[in-house]
């Protein structure tokens, strides 16, 4: 973070009030406000006129009225609402202190795991920052890695179904291109088992445990089937997202085209497949499937490295955060379990994200034994 003295910060805040901040200046002021936390520096050192303090206060009140309601808390990390508490402190001339912030916390040890590709003959640890080749037991190249993309080669002479398995750990995402051209974006904590080559006249079938976004290559003679535990999705060529995490409701969301979805659970009463349309979500329920209209962007934003919550419960949000950042969170503040949040994050560190929630939901958190523990403020 760049050092910002109070005089420069004052000028930036005044430019913000007048709507004249450039993008670079907003980022600089954002970095300053992120570190403006403790209580040994006085807001009165900014020497704001009373009229400016009042204008600042009114802006904050207006934003909070338009962006917060009932038990739904709105969190926009790239929005000035994130810093409402800090601005209020300045306007009321409360005491603060700013220090240089670090993006890392030594007490939060995040173990980085490797992406693992299991072929028929060996286990390959993939570094998503390098390029390389994957070979079979005969030494023939079956796939080429280019950074965070693994692309399989098509072999028209292949007559046997040979499966590989790709495991993406928490804290990472990866892209897989199958031999038929189907593109699969794999979310964190996801395993997928797939054929090295598809055989003409047989279904193109893959097995998913986790979450993935599929852009299926069209092939009218060979349907593409995703087996996601009890959830089965069948298509000819389309774009859709499938989630089959054990700790969440399993579902499929259709972006374009048409898919057939069915529940293969042992105790399911309604086993007949259902066709869903673009913009619909099919969720597994005990007696079959529940179909709802949704905003598909909420379900595929993770492919753009975005973390989006749209009126989601805090327990569901915690699961997403744990997968995204490969951390463990223990919530000891039970009131949050019934609170819902809306927000969008992109490049924030785990500590920046937690600080945003802390300001909005009014809780404390500490890092103990490598775990994030949330408590009542």
């Amino acid at each position: 973070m760049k050092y910002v003295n109070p005089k420069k910060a004052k000028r930036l805040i005044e430019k913000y009030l007048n709507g004249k901040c450039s993008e670079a200046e907003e980022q600089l002021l954002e970095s300053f406000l992120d570190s403006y936390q403790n209580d040994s520096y006085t807001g009165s050192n900014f020497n704001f006129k009373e009229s400016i303090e009042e204008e600042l206060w009114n802006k904050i009140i207006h934003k909070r009225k338009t962006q917060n309601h009932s038990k739904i808390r709105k969190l926009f990390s790239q929005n000035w609402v994130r810093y409402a508490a800090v601005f209020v402190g300045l306007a009321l001339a409360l005491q603060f202190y700013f220090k240089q912030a670090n993006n890392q916390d030594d007490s939060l040890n995040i173990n980085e795991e490797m992406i693992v590709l299991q072929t028929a003959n060996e286990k390959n640890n993939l570094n998503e920052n390098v390029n390389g080749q994957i070979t079979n037991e005969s030494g023939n190249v079956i796939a080429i890695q280019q950074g965070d993309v693994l692309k399989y080669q098509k072999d028209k002479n292949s007559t046997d179904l040979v499966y590989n398995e790709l495991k993406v750990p928490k804290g990472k995402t990866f892209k897989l291109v199958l031999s038929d051209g189907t593109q699969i974006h794999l979310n964190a904590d996801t395993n997928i088992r797939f054929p090295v080559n598809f055989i003409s006249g047989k279904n193109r079938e893959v097995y998913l445990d986790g979450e993935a976004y599929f852009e299926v290559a069209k092939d009218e003679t060979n349907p593409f089937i995703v087996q996601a535990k009890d959830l089965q999705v069948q298509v000819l060529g389309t774009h859709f997202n499938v989630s089959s995490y054990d700790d969440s409701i399993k579902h499929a969301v259709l972006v374009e085209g048409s898919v057939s979805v069915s529940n293969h659970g042992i105790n399911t009463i309604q086993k007949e497949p259902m066709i869903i349309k673009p913009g619909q979500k099919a969720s597994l329920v005990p007696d079959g499937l529940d179909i709802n209209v949704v905003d598909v962007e909420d379900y595929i934003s993770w492919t753009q490295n975005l973390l989006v919550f749209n009126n989601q419960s805090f327990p569901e949000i915690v699961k997403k955060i744990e997968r995204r950042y490969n951390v463990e969170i223990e919530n000891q503040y039970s009131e949050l379990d019934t609170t819902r949040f809306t927000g969008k994050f992109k490049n924030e560190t785990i500590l920046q994200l937690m600080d945003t929630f802390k300001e909005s939901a009014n809780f404390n958190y500490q890092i103990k034994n490598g775990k994030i523990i949330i408590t009542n403020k």
Side-chain angles (χ1 to χ4, degrees), residues 115-119 122-135 141-154 163-168 173-186 192 194-196:
I115 295 168
V116 177
L117 174 68
Q118 178 67 61
T119 63
E122 65 178 336
K123 181 180 292 185
N124 301 270
N125 291 329
L126 304 183
N127 183 336
E128 60 270 39
N129 297 314
V130 302
N131 300 333
Q133 296 179 337
I134 305 298
T135 58
V141 176
I142 58 174
I144 296 175
Q145 181 190 352
Q146 294 180 320
D148 61 354
V149 179
L150 183 64
K151 185 175 182 179
Y152 274 72
Q153 308 296 297
K154 187 172 185 178
Y163 283 87
N164 283 183
E165 184 174 1
L166 189 63
K167 299 181 179 181
V168 181
T173 59
F174 201 68
K175 185 176 179 180
L176 173 67
V177 182
L178 301 181
S179 59
D180 67 342
T182 293
Q183 300 182 42
I184 308 175
H185 301 260
L186 299 165
I192 187 167
F194 56 94
V196 173

Side-chain angles (χ1 to χ4, degrees), residues 229-231 262-271 284-288:
K229 301 179 181 177
D230 291 340
L231 181 68
S262 54
N263 186 340
H264 285 188
I266 297 176
N267 299 319
T268 302
I269 299 174
Q270 176 60 40
K271 293 182 179 292
L284 259 63
V285 291
D287 59 349

Side-chain angles (χ1 to χ4, degrees), residues 4-242:
V4 183
N5 61 44
K7 186 175 180 180
K8 186 170 185 178
K10 177 185 175 183
R11 289 200 303 269
L12 288 176
I13 291 172
E14 289 175 339
K15 288 184 74 174
Y16 163 68
L17 286 171
N18 295 321
K20 295 181 179 180
C21 267
S22 67
E23 183 176 350
E25 287 173 329
E26 286 190 1
Q27 291 176 353
L28 182 60
L29 184 56
E30 177 177 318
S31 180
F32 168 71
L33 291 172
D34 261 341
S35 63
Y36 199 76
Q37 297 171 12
N38 295 335
D39 60 4
S40 59
Y41 198 89
T42 58
S44 59
N45 283 350
F46 286 92
N47 296 319
F48 284 126
K49 294 179 181 179
E50 185 177 347
S51 59
I52 294 179
E53 290 186 359
E54 184 178 355
E55 182 182 356
L56 191 58
W57 173 259
N58 289 335
K59 275 204 168 191
I60 297 161
I61 293 299
H62 175 71
K63 286 180 179 291
R64 294 189 72 83
K65 281 184 177 179
T66 57
Q67 295 180 330
N68 290 327
H69 56 89
S70 83
K71 295 257 325 182
I72 301 175
R73 309 286 182 88
K74 288 186 178 284
L75 302 148
F76 293 91
S77 63
Q78 296 170 354
N79 189 303
W80 291 106
V81 174
R82 174 181 176 185
Y83 304 108
V86 178
F87 276 131
V88 170
L90 291 172
L92 296 178
L94 294 176
Q95 292 185 332
F96 288 95
Y97 163 80
F98 78 91
K99 62 183 179 180
Q100 195 154 348
N102 287 321
N103 285 338
Q104 302 294 329
D105 188 308
D106 292 337
S107 60
L108 185 60
N109 297 317
I110 299 176
N111 296 320
E112 183 176 356
E113 300 176 51
M114 298 293 291
I115 295 168
V116 177
L117 174 68
Q118 178 67 61
T119 63
N121 60 318
E122 65 178 336
K123 181 180 292 185
N124 301 270
N125 291 329
L126 304 183
N127 183 336
E128 60 270 39
N129 297 314
V130 302
N131 300 333
Q133 296 179 337
I134 305 298
T135 58
N136 60 17
E137 59 273 17
S138 301
N140 299 319
V141 176
I142 58 174
I144 296 175
Q145 181 190 352
Q146 294 180 320
D148 61 354
V149 179
L150 183 64
K151 185 175 182 179
Y152 274 72
Q153 308 296 297
K154 187 172 185 178
D155 182 2
K156 294 181 179 179
N157 298 319
S158 178
T159 57
D160 297 323
L161 273 179
V162 177
Y163 283 87
N164 283 183
E165 184 174 1
L166 189 63
K167 299 181 179 181
V168 181
K170 291 181 179 180
K172 295 187 178 183
T173 59
F174 201 68
K175 185 176 179 180
L176 173 67
V177 182
L178 301 181
S179 59
D180 67 342
T182 293
Q183 300 182 42
I184 308 175
H185 301 260
L186 299 165
N187 206 350
D189 195 20
T190 295
N191 297 347
I192 187 167
R193 185 169 174 265
F194 56 94
V196 173
N197 271 282
F198 295 104
I199 308 302
S200 180
K202 294 186 177 181
N203 291 337
R204 297 174 291 164
E205 197 163 18
V206 300
Y207 299 85
L208 178 72
D209 182 358
E211 183 170 28
Y213 176 65
F214 293 82
E215 299 176 33
V216 177
K218 291 185 178 180
D219 184 347
E220 295 183 358
T221 60
N222 299 289
F224 192 97
I225 298 176
V226 179
Q227 301 283 7
K229 301 179 181 177
D230 291 340
L231 181 68
Q232 184 188 85
V233 181
Q234 179 172 326
V235 301
L236 297 177
T238 189
H239 297 186
F240 60 96
N241 194 82
V242 177

